[in-house]
Amino acid sequence: MLPAECSRRLVAELRDALDSCAELQRQLEQSLRVSRRLLRAWEPAETPAPEPTPGPEINEEAPSSACPPSPQDLKELELLTQALEKAVRVRKGLSKAGEGVKAHSLKSGSTSPATRASAPPSTSHCAGSCAPGTKPPRGIRHPWVPAKDLPGRRLLLVGDGAHMGKGAGANKPEAGLRDQQIIPQAAPPVPEAFTLKDKGALLRLPEAFRKAASRNARLWAQLSSMQTGDSVDAAAATAKTQFLQKMQTAAGQPGSRLSSAEVGRLQKACSLLRLRMREELTADPKDWTQEYRSLLTLEGLQALVGQCLHRLQELRSAVVEQPQGPWPEGPPRAASPCGGGADPMWSPQLLLYSSTEELQTLAALRLRVAMLDQQVHLEKVLPDSGAWVTVCSGGVGHGEDSRLSLLVQPPRSTREGVDEGTCECAGALGGGGGTGAWCLDSCPRLGPLKCTRPP
Amino acid sequence: MGRRRRRQPDPADAARALPEAIAALSRTLPAAPSPEIFRRAKFDRPEAAPALWRLLFHVLSPLSADSASVSFTLVDGPPELASPIAEAQVRWVKSVLHSQGYPRLALVQLQDDGSQGGRELLLALAWLLARGPLPERLLTQSHVRLGDEMPVCECEALASPGPPAPRVEAEGSVDIRHLQWLMGKLQLRWRNLMAGQQEQCALLGKIHSYTRGCHSDRSLGHLSVTETELLRDPEGGRQLLQRLETENARLEAALEWRHRELVFWRWMDTVLDTCPLEASPPTFLPRIPEPGAGAAGLPVRELQALQEELQALQEELRKAVEARRAAWQAAVGGHGPEWRAARRALQVAVAQDLAALQWAWEQGKGQARPHGPRRLVRTEARVPGRLGLWATEATEALRAREACLEAMLHQLQGQCRQELARLVGVRPGLIWVPPPAR
């Protein structure tokens, strides 16, 4: 068996590593679920409010309702129509401006009243059998339609689009179509499901959402620009510094303690320096200028590392000197190279890719780097001296033991860890006294091992 | 606005300015109590303490790595009326503040039941606010992400695991086969992750290309999964909209806070003045800390690890420099005066280079580019004028890091081999075993 302490530590670290992976897997699976669902045909019950319908779609939607609307729905429809008609009259001029854009973005020809009329509305009563979702889901494009006023969850209007939940009825700006459109028709057509592939390009985001999103971006931009100082900020900054100093002196504690920020900086320094060193060492100097430059850089890096070490020593000795206060034990600080440098402010950053392969390569590489990071960490976890020897032993199933010889002898200190359980292997080999028998296949640290005979 | 505050303010304005500033602060922070509670805290009124403990907890936990380990009851309704804060949470707040360097001892002396200490907590909050852009950080952390995000910085892709359940470790020693099994399981998990990730990228690619042209923002061009999902599911969309609007309200409050905060700091000075000075040495016995803990809550082990890393780095550099210097001395010769000039130029260039590198970690900015997850945007290759990071560039940067890590891994394994070889020499009767044929 392994020495208790180091093996427990290793098990704990392995379990942490497994947990981290499991968490990533969980998140990934959730994303996969969502994405897969989006790429399938959308359930009719979930179809959101459609946009004003373009021509071809109307035809497909013609069979959109399998049951006749109820009188109540018709009444609602009527009220709604009136409201919309009025709105159209008011806003006709405004919407004309956007006409060209919209028509183009619909990617279809101009719609005609005839095609519109053929698409009957369906109502919430038919939720089960009807397919209000046959209309391609669209967002709301017309800003003036209040999203919250319109009643009914599944009330669909021909040509006007429909509102679902928070959606609002959208309208085509063309006047005159309205009158012809709202003819409840009880046509029992075959509903055609919406797929992203076919009609994804017709989607539009709801107006309320767009407004909120753009306001959000604007506010963030304002907040970011505030940080870059103005007269108000300077006064506040001074006040803050003075307050902090006052806090420090009022506390009566000697000097400044080892701050985790400082250590974080040193950790980041270490990783940046290492990265830079790698770059220099792997670079191939082509002429003496580059060679010399490389040499100077490495010497400079060496000096910087020396400085960091010196600073670290200073900090550590300061820690030792100060009395350990009565503070409750704190949480271990997770040190990450980016943690200290994390932007306090969000800003919209884009990652541009042009093909799925590019994206996959990047994602795979990210995971690989994370995996390597984890492996390096596990390597470092193993304490020194004899313990690693025992860890090198990786168990193989008993069935394969027969042809394996004896194994790495454990260090003297751990011999007492040998117990009955491992003696079976030793027994099969007639192993020497006191040797622990472990199967050694490929060691996580060493990789595959060679076979040599004992002297 | 600044000017207005600098001249002698109208008393009525002054009376209003502070509550308005605190109200703005209260609107931007999560779970913050009303301005009245703040005022009472100055006078150490008992009703202020629980609310402020709760506030501190909600302010510190999003930014802390291990917040998941401290469970807490959700706060519905006004924070003053929510259920009292738990002792565990109080202790957690104390320890986090300590690990961040909070200077005052009075905080730790407060009772764990959270019933006292309004003024001290107010000071703690102000201390946190003074040290950095706390509202902004919190807002960034809780920012509603509308796009498909992928982090490409050097951050570890692995989040710290969830609440570390107190595990009952195996009694005594551990079976080596158990370790082997764990390692195999880890390998399998990574394989699954890789496969799943590839599929997700393929799906994203499809969704992005199918929704091309739909986004009102032309620089984005297509919808993200979140946006498409809100079209598919209006109820979810409504919730998203609500979250977005809540965030907008908090953002506005943060802006207002930034405009008004000066009067708050003046007030905090008065609060500090009402506190009695702390006695320099603690008059009670300090609790003996756990072995291995540093003053700032940092395990000595971590410091040791850092030292070892730096020393290893130093050693590698030393060897490389020695070799190259020797080679250089041998090669150089017969360079004329133009060589001296060139050499000086190189020295200056390298010095600048390294200064920039040093500045990178001193200032806390790790990369030239901003850090954090980025929104994925599918676009035609190499369209000029697109602002953003190209995936190909990010891939190159990651390859460099991959090479670095691989080198480190090989080095560690090499050390292991050396050690093993040394042991082989020391201990007779050692037999190497070939790995079983698979």
Side-chain angles (χ1 to χ4, degrees):
Chain A
M1 285 301 170
L2 298 178
E5 191 214 306
C6 89
S7 62
R8 261 203 293 273
R9 170 106 195 272
L10 189 59
V11 167
E13 292 285 348
L14 277 171
R15 286 208 178 121
D16 274 350
L18 282 166
D19 286 343
S20 301
C21 285
E23 175 59 25
L24 253 189
Q25 182 75 20
R26 195 192 59 80
Q27 289 169 3
L28 186 59
E29 269 166 17
Q30 192 181 7
S31 309
L32 277 171
R33 253 199 313 274
V34 174
S35 304
R36 283 180 195 139
R37 193 173 51 193
L38 281 177
L39 285 167
R40 286 197 293 264
W42 292 13
E43 293 296 309
E46 296 161 330
T47 315
E51 276 281 290
T53 60
E57 272 156 6
I58 298 295
N59 290 328
E60 289 164 25
E61 298 150 25
S64 76
S65 141
C67 53
S70 74
Q72 190 218 351
D73 288 286
L74 289 178
K75 197 150 71 151
E76 279 180 359
L77 205 46
E78 192 54 39
L79 287 167
L80 183 55
T81 315
Q82 284 167 8
L84 292 171
E85 278 176 303
K86 184 173 176 187
V88 160
R89 279 196 293 277
V90 167
R91 292 301 188 116
K92 198 166 138 193
L94 274 172
S95 38
K96 279 241 171 72
E99 189 89 25
V101 175
K102 285 176 190 132
H104 167 74
S105 59
L106 281 178
K107 294 183 171 49
S108 61
S110 58
T111 67
S112 67
T115 53
R116 286 162 161 272
S118 63
S122 59
T123 70
S124 50
H125 293 279
C126 315
S129 48
C130 288
T134 57
K135 291 212 194 290
R138 287 152 272 180
I140 308 305
R141 284 188 310 180
H142 294 255
W144 50 267
V145 176
K148 294 163 186 62
D149 297 353
L150 302 173
R153 196 173 151 70
R154 295 176 196 275
L155 197 55
L156 286 187
L157 294 175
V158 175
D160 296 335
H163 54 280
M164 301 281 292
K166 70 176 178 75
N171 302 270
K172 266 294 194 180
E174 293 96 280
L177 294 171
R178 199 111 301 121
D179 303 325
Q180 304 164 31
Q181 292 162 10
I182 319 302
I183 304 163
Q185 288 183 11
V190 176
E192 187 168 313
F194 174 86
T195 54
L196 209 54
K197 182 167 182 183
D198 301 328
K199 301 171 200 153
L202 304 161
L203 292 173
R204 292 293 178 272
L205 291 169
E207 187 55 35
F209 175 81
R210 270 191 293 158
K211 274 193 166 156
S214 69
R215 191 159 152 251
N216 187 272
R218 211 174 44 243
L219 286 168
W220 273 111
Q222 276 182 294
L223 209 54
S224 287
S225 68
M226 275 223 80
Q227 257 212 333
T228 59
D230 55 1
S231 63
V232 178
D233 257 9
T238 322
K240 283 190 260 194
T241 320
Q242 284 173 353
F243 176 76
L244 285 175
Q245 279 170 356
K246 229 169 137 178
M247 284 278 275
Q248 193 69 51
T249 49
Q253 289 240 329
S256 60
R257 292 203 304 256
L258 174 68
S259 78
S260 42
E262 176 107 43
V263 176
R265 268 204 296 277
L266 284 174
Q267 279 165 333
K268 177 186 289 189
C270 185
S271 64
L272 285 177
L273 286 166
R274 194 188 309 118
L275 199 61
R276 195 52 198 279
M277 179 186 72
R278 292 264 152 254
E279 281 173 23
E280 287 301 327
L281 291 179
T282 52
D284 193 19
K286 299 191 181 47
D287 60 23
W288 65 264
T289 332
Q290 288 184 0
E291 258 186 61
Y292 191 64
R293 189 184 179 128
S294 184
L295 174 60
L296 286 179
T297 310
L298 287 170
E299 283 179 341
L301 290 175
Q302 193 181 13
L304 284 174
V305 171
Q307 279 177 25
C308 288
L309 269 171
H310 183 70
R311 182 79 192 123
L312 184 60
Q313 302 283 33
E314 276 179 355
L315 289 173
R316 289 187 74 184
S317 53
V319 167
V320 166
E321 276 164 21
Q322 273 161 12
Q324 304 292 319
W327 295 89
E329 270 318 299
R333 209 188 69 95
S336 73
C338 277
D343 250 347
M345 198 83 74
W346 177 82
S347 55
Q349 301 297 324
L350 301 182
L351 178 61
L352 310 166
Y353 74 99
S354 53
S355 74
T356 307
E357 287 71 36
E358 245 178 65
L359 189 58
Q360 282 173 326
T361 313
L362 179 61
L365 197 50
R366 254 191 78 229
L367 275 186
R368 177 152 169 78
V369 164
M371 186 182 75
L372 284 171
D373 229 346
Q374 196 185 67
Q375 270 183 285
V376 164
H377 174 75
L378 284 172
E379 289 286 325
K380 289 182 186 165
V381 154
L382 307 178
D384 54 341
S385 81
W388 62 262
V389 176
T390 54
V391 168
C392 281
S393 323
V396 188
H398 269 301
E400 295 164 278
D401 282 355
S402 50
R403 52 183 198 84
L404 292 178
S405 305
L406 200 92
L407 315 162
V408 180
Q409 198 167 26
R412 194 163 297 274
S413 58
T414 61
R415 295 262 178 93
E416 51 274 19
V418 177
D419 68 8
E420 283 307 300
T422 60
C423 282
E424 328 170 24
C425 297
L429 308 164
T435 57
W438 289 272
C439 294
L440 191 62
D441 66 25
S442 82
C443 168
R445 293 185 75 156
L446 302 184
L449 298 164
K450 325 194 294 267
C451 176
T452 58
R453 293 247 121 242
Chain B
M1 249 197 201
R3 183 132 35 109
R4 192 176 142 76
R5 274 205 277 281
R6 287 210 196 95
R7 65 157 205 268
Q8 201 59 296
D10 177 23
D13 279 343
R16 262 202 316 273
L18 180 62
E20 280 175 4
I22 297 182
L25 181 65
S26 170
R27 285 201 311 276
T28 184
L29 292 178
S34 64
E36 181 57 24
I37 293 286
F38 282 80
R39 193 185 68 81
R40 294 196 186 164
K42 174 176 177 179
F43 304 106
D44 225 3
R45 301 291 294 276
E47 60 267 25
L52 286 176
W53 278 116
R54 210 170 0 257
L55 171 60
L56 279 173
F57 182 79
H58 280 92
V59 155
L60 290 170
S61 48
L63 303 175
S64 168
D66 70 327
S67 60
S69 66
V70 189
S71 64
F72 57 93
T73 52
L74 283 175
V75 175
D76 323 328
E80 293 90 18
L81 303 180
S83 49
I85 190 166
E87 270 193 34
Q89 294 165 333
V90 168
R91 278 197 292 273
W92 185 85
V93 167
K94 284 184 187 177
S95 70
V96 170
L97 278 171
H98 169 66
S99 73
Q100 296 202 9
Y102 188 69
R104 290 171 61 90
L105 280 175
L107 183 75
V108 76
Q109 293 166 7
L110 295 174
Q111 284 180 2
D112 282 354
D113 65 0
S115 60
Q116 53 166 222
R119 186 167 54 212
E120 191 61 33
L121 296 173
L122 185 57
L123 288 173
L125 178 69
W127 185 81
L128 287 170
L129 283 168
R131 276 164 42 103
L134 185 62
E136 285 85 348
R137 278 218 186 90
L138 289 170
L139 283 165
T140 301
Q141 207 272 342
S142 66
H143 171 60
V144 174
R145 312 254 163 198
L146 297 174
D148 301 317
E149 309 246 323
M150 179 176 284
V152 285
C153 56
E154 296 209 353
C155 274
E156 302 180 17
L158 298 170
S160 50
R167 291 206 186 86
V168 179
E169 291 301 343
E171 288 302 309
S173 319
V174 172
D175 190 344
I176 198 69
R177 284 167 294 195
H178 181 58
L179 274 180
Q180 185 75 348
W181 176 73
L182 286 174
M183 287 181 199
K185 201 165 151 185
L186 189 59
Q187 270 187 325
L188 189 60
R189 286 208 178 158
W190 275 114
R191 261 206 293 273
N192 287 340
L193 270 174
M194 299 271 191
Q197 178 78 277
Q198 295 295 85
E199 186 192 344
Q200 170 66 354
C201 289
L203 296 181
L204 278 179
K206 279 191 189 158
I207 294 175
H208 292 172
S209 45
Y210 294 164
T211 57
R212 204 171 12 224
C214 297
H215 210 290
S216 45
D217 183 347
R218 291 274 175 259
S219 70
L220 296 173
H222 59 75
L223 301 180
S224 69
V225 164
T226 312
E227 288 161 341
T228 317
E229 179 69 11
L230 86 87
L231 286 172
R232 187 194 67 86
D233 171 24
E235 179 54 38
R238 223 200 316 264
Q239 286 170 11
L240 184 67
L241 184 62
Q242 199 159 27
R243 282 172 52 209
L244 206 49
E245 281 171 353
T246 311
E247 182 174 316
N248 287 348
R250 281 179 66 190
L251 282 168
E252 278 182 349
L255 278 168
E256 202 184 322
W257 159 251
R258 286 289 163 217
H259 281 301
R260 295 178 187 276
E261 64 176 319
L262 191 55
V263 63
F264 175 81
W265 293 113
R266 296 215 177 105
W267 180 64
M268 282 312 301
D269 267 346
T270 67
V271 173
L272 195 49
D273 290 338
T274 66
C275 282
L277 268 181
E278 297 205 314
S280 282
T283 49
F284 49 85
L285 281 173
R287 190 195 314 172
I288 313 296
E290 303 275 288
L298 284 166
V300 160
R301 223 179 333 114
E302 203 176 283
L303 296 177
Q304 181 67 25
L306 179 59
Q307 180 162 346
E308 281 169 8
E309 263 189 57
L310 282 170
Q311 280 169 340
L313 200 55
Q314 193 179 46
E315 183 58 24
E316 200 176 333
L317 276 168
R318 191 186 60 79
K319 281 194 262 198
V321 164
E322 259 178 37
R324 292 202 181 197
R325 182 50 82 171
W328 177 257
Q329 305 285 34
V332 87
H335 283 275
E338 79 277 1
W339 153 237
R340 270 197 292 280
R343 194 172 74 164
R344 205 161 315 140
L346 279 173
Q347 280 168 346
V348 166
V350 167
Q352 279 175 351
D353 224 0
L354 293 175
L357 186 65
Q358 188 168 12
W359 186 87
W361 75 71
E362 293 288 339
Q363 292 302 312
K365 284 186 170 58
Q367 292 89 36
R369 278 182 281 257
H371 152 104
R374 288 169 168 264
R375 177 170 180 154
L376 284 171
V377 171
R378 189 176 183 124
T379 180
E380 295 307 305
R382 293 294 147 179
V383 169
R386 288 310 296 262
L387 287 172
L389 175 64
W390 287 95
T392 41
E393 289 167 20
T395 306
E396 274 170 37
L398 277 175
R399 286 212 196 281
R401 176 133 176 88
E402 181 195 22
C404 181
L405 284 168
E406 277 174 347
M408 249 167 49
L409 202 57
H410 288 144
Q411 186 187 41
L412 286 166
Q413 287 174 348
Q415 279 174 9
C416 186
R417 263 194 205 92
Q418 279 174 22
E419 187 66 11
L420 200 56
R422 189 183 67 79
L423 276 174
V424 168
V426 164
R427 301 186 195 288
L430 211 60
I431 301 179
W432 288 88
V433 174
R438 292 186 196 277

